[in-house]
Every structure is written in C-alpha cells, then in structure tokens.
Amino acid sequence: MPEQSALQAMRHSMAHILATAIQHLWPEAKFGVGPVVENGFYYDVDLGETKISEEDFARIEAEMQKVIAHDDVFERFEKPIDEAIVWAKETKQPYKEELLNDLKRSGTTLAKELNSEELGTIADGKSKVENVSFYKNGDFVDLCRGPHVESTGKTGAFKLQKVGGAYWRGNDQNAQMQRIYGVAFATDRELQDHLAMLEQAKKRDHRKLGQELDLFVISDLVGPGLPIFTPRGTVLRNGLIKFSEELQQDRGYEAVWAPHMTRTELYKVSGHYDKYPERFDVSSVESDDTFMMKPMNCPHVTQIYASRPRSYRDLPLRYMETTTMYRDEKSGELHGLSRVRALTQDDSHAFVRHDQIEDEIRNIIGMVKQMYLTLDMPLSVDLSFRDDSDNYFGDPKLWQEAQKILERIAREEELDYRVEPGEAAFYGPKIDIYVSDALDRRWQCATVQLDFVMPERFQLEYVDEHGEKQRPAMIHKAILGSIERFLSVYIEHTAGRFPIWVAPEQIRVITVNQEEATVNFANGILGQAQKLHLRLGVDNSNESVGKKIRAAELAKVPYVIVAGDKEIKTKQVTPRIRKDMVVIDAPVSLGIEEFLKTVANEAKARILKTSL
RNA sequence: GCCACCUUAGCUCAGUUGGCUAGAGCGCCGCUUUCGUAAAGCGGAGGUCUGGGGUUCGACUCCCCAAGGUGGCUCCA
C-alpha cells in the first residue's frame, strides 16, 4: 500500500475509534459522517441536549486508548441495501438512514452530486446499488466504504484538537451536529512536530503581530470588522496600493473615483440587490430616497462608460479605483483583517470588444504575476465556473465561450489551477487567485472576472466600424483583492519582517548617550534621511544600548545603526542588518550618505534582500 | 446568523472550596546612571475584575441576559 493511503486508512480508522469511544460514553449518540481531513480526521455526532466541550477530551481520549488497547479487528461485511436501511432504523441512526436512502436512489452520498430537493428522502423502487459495505470493530458497527487498518491497535499517535458546530450535510437549514476534530500521525514524533508547528504558526498570527508591531486597531466603539490603521500600518497599506496602482498605470489603466454611497436603484438595475442581503442601508432625514453603502464598484463605473457615446476606437477603456466598500457580514464570519465589514479593493474594470478579451486578461495576469513574484508570495488558482443551476444571468453560450478562454489562458500562462464548478459570480466566470495564511488556510485575494451581464443590464454600447451598435464585455479585476485581507496573509507570510520598501520604519538610529553632540548627530542623519524619503526613527531614550538594540530587533526594523563618538569622528556607520535580509554575512562600514542612498535605492527597487 | 469556549492594568498572565486594601512581569512616567550591538538600578502612576441583572451577610469567583473575542459551521474578497 502506498504510504499516503496507508496514512489515510489509519486516520479514517481513528475516526471510527473516536466514534466507538463516543458510543461507549454516550450510548444514545447519533452519528453523521467521519472522514479524513488534512493532518487528521473528524466525526460528526448528535448527542441531543448533551454538549461536548474540550474538557471532555481527556475522557474521550482515554476511552479511545482503551479501544486501541483492545486491538479489535476491523471486519468488513456487506448487507443488501434494504437490510441496511432496516439496520439504521433499528439502531436509531437517522443520519445513516438518510445516507443509505441517497445511496439507494443515486448511488452516491455526496451532497454536491445529488438533487438538493431529494437529499435524504426515502427512496422507492429500484436501487442504484445492491449491497453496501460495513465495518465492525468490537461492539461498534458503521456504514463505511473503508479502507481501514487491520485492527484498532494498528494505529498511530493522535490527539483530539477542537470541537465545533457543523450543519448536517453542510446545509444551514439542517440540524447542527457537533464536529470533533483530531490530528493523527504514524508516529508520535510526527504528531509532536505537527503540534509544535501549530504553536509556531500562532506566533505569526496577523492579529497578534498587528498588535505587537502597532499596525492596526479594532475598537469596540467603532465596531467589529472595522479595522483602523495606525501610522505604521498605513505605510504598509499605502506601499502595497502604490505598487498596484503603478502596475495598472503602466498597462493603460486610468484612475477614477466614486462616492461610497449610492441610491439603491443602481443595485436594482445591476441585479445585485437581491443577491446581496448583506448591504448596509443608509437612511436620510431629508429625502424619501433610499441609499446604501456601496458593496462593490462595478455598477458605479458603468455610469462613467454610459455617460457618452463610445466608438470601437475608444476600446479598451480601462478604469481603476482603490476604494473601500461595505458589507454587513454576519458577526461569526468576521476574522481579524481577513474578513471585515469595510474592505478596500484595488479594483478595476476594463470595457472591451469581444476580440480584445483575451489580450486584456493576459494583460491582467501579467500584473498579478509581477505583484506576487515581487512579494515572494506563492499562489494557487481556481477557475470559478458555473454549474447547471439557474443561479446565473446571461446567455449560456457566451458562458461556455468565456470559460474556454479563461481555461486556455490559465493553461498557457502556466498557472497552477483547478476548475471549480458552481463558484462563478452570477454575472460571469472568474480566475480566482488564492494565497495561504500561517495555518495554511487559503484566502482569495486577486481575481479576474469576465462579465457579459453588467453591460447588458446597463445597456452599454459602442458603435463599430460599420456604424452598428455593439455591446462591450466587462473585465473586473483586483490584484491585491481586499487590501485588508491581503495584509492579513502578507503579515503572516513575512512574520512581520517586511522588506525595506514597505517596512514602516526602515532605519533606526540608536544613540549611545544623551549628550548634545550625539543628539545633534542623530538628528542630522534624520534630516538627511527625510530628504531621501526614508522612514528613519531615532531612539534617544535613556536606556542601555543593548536594550535599545533589542527593542529595534523586536520591532523588526530592517537596518539599525548605533550613533556615538566613533561615528561622529569617522562619519561612518556599520548597519546592523535584519537577519532575513542578509545575503553575505559580513559587517560593512560605510559613509552615512552612501548608506542612506543605498537604502533609498533598495526601497525604490522593491527588493527583498539587502545589497549591503 | 448557528454551536462550543473565552473576557482580571496599555500588553501577557496569577488570583485557594464565595471572605481583609485584587497581584506579577513587560510597557508607561519620574529619578539615578551616560552606557557600544537582544533586557542597568530605584521609585511611581495605572483596575467599576467587559456591561447589566440576580442569588448571598458577603461575588473577580455561582446563575441569567447582553456585548466583544477565539475555534468550527454556513456565507464570502
């Protein structure tokens, strides 16, 4: 057996052992599903009024150890489908009964592949499957496809991790079960390594670093999901935004601007109004009109296009805008900077002829690649396509054509992509670019969306070379996506060790004493740095040099220079360079002006490593 | 929004089974010191124990409600 599937079988067996323990402790337990997930497994259980908390883990783990010590064989057997349904009824396992009905009707239990209205309903007539397989270990029997390890003793090291609510079959209309997560590895060593890795990841949590490095604040008075950026955090934000805007300007995008609220009518015409219940409505005491905060930008920009007649010669028209929008996300969905109620996007909209679509998307992919390469951020790509449901507006033939174009570009641009049906926007298919945070959770940042629907709904037109009216296509894009979300990932990716060009404080001067000559010298360096637009801080506090060095290290300042009699005399400094930036590990002394100019050039070039 | 858990000083955390004036380290302020590449010394200020109800002679501690947070689920950039 290949190693990977052996590990999977072991983890899946752990899920059964967990269920066995739970059945021993709570005989009335009703079981859902218990699959393998990354690094471990979970099992969904319904214990009625009884709620499991992490305090119960020790007890459950002890029972699991007993099951393992018992070393019961995982015995596979089959039952005809109808007998299996009787079994589920008799053992009072209603969730298993639902799954069996789905198996009988459709031959699968995957909710995604099933007609949602039929899900779990009683199946009449002929069955799609004859027999279903069961696994038995000791006194626990479970409907299961397998495979398993030989016996409960042939498992590895495990630990229960967390418990959370989970809707039965992922549908929030259904009952909520308790999902118990565990991690499991072949050896105890691997388990310990994994747990240590999680501890490390906690240290780079952007919410923790945001507080430690003084980047942003979330105030209860302002409200949840509404982060405020400090001077240091704003340097980061603006640095990234500037980079994005330069990329876009270089490729023909022009800046535009729209107010942050609008008459709701705009969103009724666009079709968003009913699709986005999470809007913030704004009321006016003066007028009867209804307004809302903008939850996106595309409908606004269409009005620039529509404001005058357009010729085929005008296209493509490329508008960009870095702007904030507002979405009333449900409270439980907020998460640091990753999921907020006020999000700022480096958004753009290109209006193109159909024959210009492909070039424009390549233009955009070029920008995305350049951004993420410069930032040293690995990305993965989803092609978010439609499915057969009727959630989508527009001509299905245009959709087909659009999806083909996107997939061809993804292939030719050598993007590491996968196709995700059912993930498209209601107005068109997307190329979604994801990056991962410290815990390997994927977050969508950049996106390219092809849209034939908005131009239709807003009746956008241009006149072609024959004098005929034609409809342009719209291409929506964001490179950083939500700046807030991007920062959350970027802070974790760098662990707060920002490269020189976005470092909130690029250089710190540490004075050796508080004598007048020293202070004047340090302030002189500050003056020179300001002329070069460098962000330099002077630490003239009455503390030991060692302590001030330590403070600068903790603040993750890229360059630290000590200013004392030696420097005053020689007019040379020896920068202490943050370790992640060093290429050659040798201290260099150089003239103050030369040092500052080098740093200024590095900042301009957006480099990752120092050239000193 | 749903499920579980959490909330003590600016930050990180102690605080016996309900019982004296709620503690520590860091940070902050002041004084001493004037120091050479990851923590000098001394002193001081700082808390309606998230908020509101309740139980009790007495609540940081027990119960209820609310807010905020954390981890899941659902939804999403």
Side-chain angles (χ1 to χ4, degrees):
Chain A
M1 200 184 286
E3 210 173 296
Q4 197 51 36
S5 52
L7 189 58
Q8 296 236 337
M10 190 279 277
R11 285 177 176 154
H12 187 50
S13 302
M14 285 309 311
H16 278 231
I17 291 168
L18 169 61
T20 308
I22 285 174
Q23 194 177 54
H24 290 172
L25 296 167
W26 294 277
E28 75 284 6
K30 295 175 174 58
F31 293 97
V33 292
V36 172
V37 291
E38 194 169 8
N39 300 317
F41 59 93
Y42 68 77
Y43 219 112
D44 283 347
V45 297
D46 179 353
L47 298 178
E49 293 299 300
T50 308
K51 299 296 175 197
I52 288 177
S53 80
E54 293 187 17
E55 282 171 23
D56 298 311
F57 283 0
R59 195 150 63 106
I60 301 171
E61 283 174 346
E63 187 62 30
M64 289 171 74
Q65 291 296 0
K66 275 193 216 164
V67 175
I68 289 169
H70 218 263
D71 201 17
D72 295 312
V73 172
F74 279 102
E75 217 178 298
R76 184 182 191 280
F77 63 91
E78 294 196 354
K79 271 186 202 288
I81 181 84
D82 288 317
E83 275 181 41
I85 292 173
V86 171
W87 164 85
K89 282 191 171 130
E90 281 174 353
T91 54
K92 300 206 172 81
Q93 292 296 340
Y95 300 106
K96 298 292 181 189
E97 191 181 332
E98 261 194 46
L99 294 174
L100 285 163
N101 276 310
D102 288 334
L103 268 178
K104 180 172 176 183
R105 183 174 356 85
S106 317
T108 175
T109 58
L110 291 176
K112 241 187 169 172
E113 295 172 16
L114 290 166
N115 179 329
S116 56
E117 280 164 25
E118 289 183 343
L119 210 59
T121 55
I122 292 170
D124 292 321
K126 241 194 285 165
S127 173
K128 283 266 173 81
V129 289
E130 297 262 319
N131 291 320
V132 290
S133 63
F134 283 79
Y135 278 82
K136 177 175 188 297
N137 58 286
D139 55 358
F140 180 76
V141 177
D142 199 0
L143 166 69
C144 179
R145 193 165 25 181
H148 283 283
V149 293
E150 245 171 78
S151 62
T152 58
K154 299 257 169 25
T155 45
F158 77 98
K159 187 173 191 305
L160 296 184
Q161 276 274 290
K162 52 199 173 194
V163 55
Y167 299 108
W168 170 238
R169 312 203 96 171
N171 182 338
D172 60 5
Q173 302 302 307
N174 285 346
Q176 193 155 43
M177 311 185 71
Q178 297 185 76
R179 178 167 297 175
I180 302 167
Y181 284 93
V183 287
F185 291 88
T187 62
D188 191 54
R189 176 66 189 272
E190 285 168 280
L191 175 67
Q192 296 309 327
D193 284 352
H194 178 73
L195 296 176
M197 188 276 287
L198 291 180
E199 278 306 306
Q200 279 304 112
K202 267 193 207 160
K203 288 188 191 156
R204 37 204 310 165
D205 188 309
H206 76 274
R207 292 163 301 189
K208 187 173 152 69
L209 287 170
Q211 142 76 19
E212 286 171 1
L213 301 178
D214 190 20
L215 302 175
F216 61 91
V217 183
I218 297 175
S219 139
D220 283 4
L221 266 180
V222 174
L226 300 170
I228 307 166
F229 285 79
T230 62
R232 285 174 184 268
T234 305
V235 168
L236 261 184
R237 257 179 93 92
N238 289 351
L240 292 165
I241 289 170
K242 187 169 175 229
F243 188 13
S244 170
E245 289 182 344
E246 282 176 16
L247 283 173
Q248 295 177 74
Q249 264 152 7
D250 290 350
R251 290 170 191 256
Y253 281 78
E254 297 177 283
V256 295
W257 178 254
H260 289 200
M261 57 180 270
T262 171
R263 293 179 64 204
T264 52
E265 195 57 27
L266 179 70
Y267 281 86
K268 289 182 180 161
V269 174
S270 74
H272 288 98
Y273 195 80
D274 296 326
K275 300 248 174 200
Y276 289 89
E278 48 285 282
R279 65 181 177 275
F280 281 106
D281 287 321
V282 176
S283 62
S284 163
V285 281
E286 289 294 329
S287 89
D288 294 334
D289 233 339
T290 55
F291 295 90
M292 58 189 275
M293 303 302 292
K294 60 176 181 182
M296 52 205 60
N297 297 307
C298 32
H300 306 247
V301 177
T302 63
Q303 297 310 293
I304 298 175
Y305 184 94
S307 65
R308 55 184 63 223
R310 306 291 180 181
S311 151
Y312 71 99
R313 296 175 204 273
D314 296 333
L315 304 186
L317 274 170
R318 305 179 179 100
Y319 300 135
M320 69 171 189
E321 183 183 16
T322 304
T323 185
T324 307
M325 42 240 197
Y326 307 88
R327 298 180 187 176
D328 189 11
E329 301 294 347
K330 297 178 205 158
S331 59
E333 286 155 359
L334 300 173
H335 181 94
L337 293 182
S338 323
R339 192 76 182 273
V340 293
R341 285 186 167 137
L343 56 129
T344 309
Q345 264 193 354
D346 55 338
D347 208 355
S348 76
H349 300 89
F351 297 88
V352 298
R353 305 192 305 258
H354 284 208
D355 63 292
Q356 294 170 324
I357 290 173
E358 194 161 338
D359 281 350
E360 192 53 37
I361 293 178
R362 285 184 198 275
N363 192 18
I364 293 168
I365 295 292
M367 292 190 257
V368 171
K369 280 183 168 172
Q370 198 178 332
M371 169 70 77
Y372 286 79
L373 201 71
T374 303
L375 295 172
D376 194 29
M377 300 267 282
L379 50 82
S380 61
V381 175
D382 281 7
L383 298 184
S384 298
F385 287 174
R386 65 175 293 163
D387 54 24
D388 294 333
S389 72
D390 50 10
N391 296 331
Y392 305 96
F393 291 4
D395 179 0
K397 254 192 275 172
L398 276 178
W399 273 83
Q400 280 310 317
E401 185 198 323
Q403 293 184 173
K404 248 195 262 169
I405 293 172
L406 293 189
E407 184 150 15
R408 185 169 67 241
I409 292 173
R411 203 170 45 238
E412 289 175 11
E413 295 286 336
E414 296 181 346
L415 300 175
D416 167 25
Y417 74 92
R418 63 187 194 201
V419 174
E420 293 289 338
E423 294 297 320
F426 75 86
Y427 49 76
K430 309 186 284 175
I431 300 178
D432 288 324
I433 284 104
Y434 287 80
V435 287
S436 297
D437 70 12
L439 287 173
D440 261 341
R441 292 179 290 210
R442 284 175 97 227
W443 293 97
Q444 188 194 323
C445 288
T447 181
V448 189
Q449 312 180 355
L450 184 48
D451 175 8
F452 299 111
V453 172
M454 285 301 123
E456 186 75 33
R457 294 185 74 93
F458 285 102
Q459 302 284 304
L460 304 182
E461 291 170 339
Y462 66 89
V463 178
D464 72 10
E465 62 267 50
H466 309 296
E468 307 277 332
K469 295 211 162 144
Q470 299 291 344
R471 187 134 287 159
M474 229 171 136
I475 300 169
H476 312 235
K477 84 99 200 46
I479 306 176
L480 298 165
S482 147
I483 313 294
E484 290 79 12
R485 173 174 292 181
F486 185 86
L487 273 175
S488 74
V489 181
Y490 190 56
I491 290 167
E492 299 191 4
H493 176 72
T494 57
R497 287 185 281 267
F498 304 113
I500 299 141
W501 65 279
V502 275
E505 184 179 351
Q506 295 162 317
I507 304 168
R508 183 173 296 185
V509 179
I510 288 173
T511 55
V512 172
N513 56 47
Q514 280 69 55
E515 280 155 21
E516 202 182 341
T518 315
V519 176
N520 287 343
F521 179 69
N523 286 335
I525 299 175
L526 173 62
Q528 278 180 273
Q530 282 169 340
K531 279 190 198 133
L532 293 165
H533 304 291
L534 287 169
R535 298 179 290 270
L536 181 145
V538 176
D539 185 351
N540 184 39
S541 59
N542 181 8
E543 299 288 352
S544 65
V545 171
K547 184 161 180 174
K548 292 198 272 188
I549 294 279
R550 178 178 149 83
E553 288 283 346
L554 292 175
K556 299 175 182 173
V557 179
Y559 295 106
V560 177
I561 53 181
V562 174
D565 291 344
K566 199 181 88 193
E567 287 76 17
I568 295 173
K569 199 182 292 170
T570 63
K571 298 201 165 49
Q572 295 242 315
V573 290
T574 308
R576 184 186 167 101
I577 302 167
R578 206 179 58 205
K579 288 191 186 60
D580 61 289
M581 307 194 313
V582 174
V583 183
I584 305 156
D585 191 11
V588 191
S589 285
L590 67 177
I592 291 158
E593 191 165 347
E594 190 191 349
F595 166 64
L596 294 176
K597 279 190 174 155
T598 306
V599 178
N601 286 334
E602 289 178 343
K604 214 169 160 188
R606 299 195 171 104
I607 63 157
L608 288 172
K609 306 268 182 190
T610 178
S611 55
L612 290 175

